[in-house]
Amino acid sequence: MDAVLYIGHGSRVKAGIDQAKRFISSCMETCRMPIQEICFLELAEPDIPEGIRRCVQRGASRIIIQPVLLLAAGHIKKDIPAEIEKAAKDYPDITFIYSHPFGVHDMIIDILIERIQEQGDAFSDDAFVLLVGRGSSDPCIKTDFQQIKQMVEGRGITRAFPCYLAAADPSFEEGLDFAQATGYKKIFVVPYLLFTGILMKEMEQTIRERNQGNQSFILCQSLGYHAKLKKLLSRRIEESIRSNDDEQLSYHA
């Protein structure tokens, strides 16, 4: 029997956990899999081993491991595969298929543009977009963000610049400094994050301190668990179902 195990990141903010659960539960309503469970990488329960155990206990013979994460970094390439390898030893009769995260996709760019447009400020030649990612030491994250920047600029936006909240350069503060130095009057700060939480609150405070001159820093909403993300997650699961045996337990780049 087939199962899907959805893996969220986890958060110290209860609202973030609740938001993730609501989104995944809504995805479960449209998924045809007979067994579906939710777990988290960290900071929330159940963890991955418990999520796998629950799938097996319910009669799963094949488990699609579906990360509910934006990009492929350390969690995707190391942490989750390590848990799958352990589970494969514990449950040798179970087939594990490792699915894609959301990745870089046109539907996510649609959401980014929507987050800018919903601010009600017309985007013009005197505006600038600062893309803010969580950050990672994995160099692929910067490559992905460069692609995201180009895709955003391909939607009629004159200038976009990526920066990161941690573990990568330029930092968020450096990004704000760069944006300020450009002289653009409107600077749209667009968080490439799934949900509001501690990081968003810190960004709000930093931007309030910057909004004291003739430039306007406009903090957009995070991506949130948008309907288009729900559609993309369903697509990732369907792709995994179609994958062949040689692709099991591997990350599809």
Side-chain angles (χ1 to χ4, degrees):
M1 194 181 303
D2 284 343
V4 179
L5 179 62
Y6 302 89
I7 303 178
H9 186 280
S11 172
R12 291 184 176 87
V13 179
K14 183 180 181 298
I17 298 296
D18 292 343
Q19 195 176 10
K21 287 181 176 178
R22 284 195 299 272
F23 171 74
I24 295 171
S25 294
S26 71
C27 293
M28 288 178 169
E29 292 173 2
T30 58
C31 181
R32 297 188 302 272
M33 289 293 188
I35 300 169
Q36 299 181 74
E37 290 286 345
I38 302 171
C39 68
F40 296 93
L41 274 163
E42 58 187 6
L43 306 172
E45 296 293 337
D47 59 12
I48 296 174
E50 175 60 17
I52 292 172
R53 188 193 70 78
R54 291 181 183 184
C55 289
V56 174
Q57 191 174 46
R58 292 177 62 185
S61 57
R62 182 172 71 162
I63 303 174
I64 289 88
I65 305 293
Q66 179 58 60
V68 188
L69 303 172
L70 286 171
L71 297 172
H75 288 314
I76 293 290
K77 296 180 180 179
K78 297 177 183 178
D79 300 337
I80 299 176
E83 293 293 349
I84 296 173
E85 288 173 9
K86 290 177 188 175
K89 293 176 183 177
D90 292 337
Y91 307 104
D93 296 331
I94 305 296
T95 297
F96 294 90
I97 300 177
Y98 192 16
S99 184
H100 289 281
F102 289 113
V104 179
H105 197 280
D106 280 333
M107 282 193 277
I108 297 182
I109 305 304
D110 290 343
I111 301 170
L112 291 176
I113 300 301
E114 183 179 322
R115 292 295 178 247
I116 296 169
Q117 292 173 338
E118 67 190 7
Q119 291 301 314
D121 289 279
F123 196 93
S124 57
D125 290 341
D126 64 347
F128 180 92
V129 168
L130 189 64
L131 292 167
V132 187
R134 181 182 293 272
S136 169
S137 58
D138 190 317
C140 290
I141 292 297
K142 298 185 82 168
T143 301
D144 287 344
F145 255 77
Q146 187 62 29
Q147 185 179 352
I148 292 163
K149 168 191 179 299
Q150 293 169 352
M151 292 170 75
V152 167
E153 289 178 339
R155 300 292 186 91
I157 288 173
T158 306
R159 186 79 184 274
F161 184 79
C163 63
Y164 308 92
L165 293 167
D169 295 319
S171 68
F172 178 46
E173 291 282 355
E174 289 169 338
L176 290 171
D177 289 341
F178 180 86
Q180 204 158 21
T182 64
Y184 283 92
K185 299 302 181 186
K186 290 180 183 177
I187 299 163
F188 291 89
V189 181
V190 184
Y192 201 81
L193 304 170
L194 280 177
F195 58 84
T196 57
I198 292 173
L199 294 177
M200 282 291 289
K201 290 177 181 177
E202 291 173 353
M203 290 172 68
E204 288 171 5
Q205 176 61 34
T206 302
I207 286 174
R208 273 197 299 270
E209 294 168 1
R210 294 269 179 165
N211 273 330
Q212 297 175 357
N214 61 353
Q215 290 176 308
S216 177
F217 287 85
I218 303 163
L219 180 60
C220 301
Q221 292 186 52
S222 59
L223 290 169
Y225 292 104
H226 195 280
K228 288 190 176 181
L229 286 180
K230 182 177 176 179
K231 183 176 180 180
L232 183 53
L233 194 68
S234 296
R235 183 175 297 182
R236 294 295 183 235
I237 294 169
E238 290 169 3
E239 290 168 352
S240 298
I241 293 170
R242 292 195 300 266
S243 66
N244 60 49
D245 291 345
D246 291 339
E247 293 174 317
Q248 291 171 15
L249 287 175
S250 66
Y251 171 71
H252 311 306

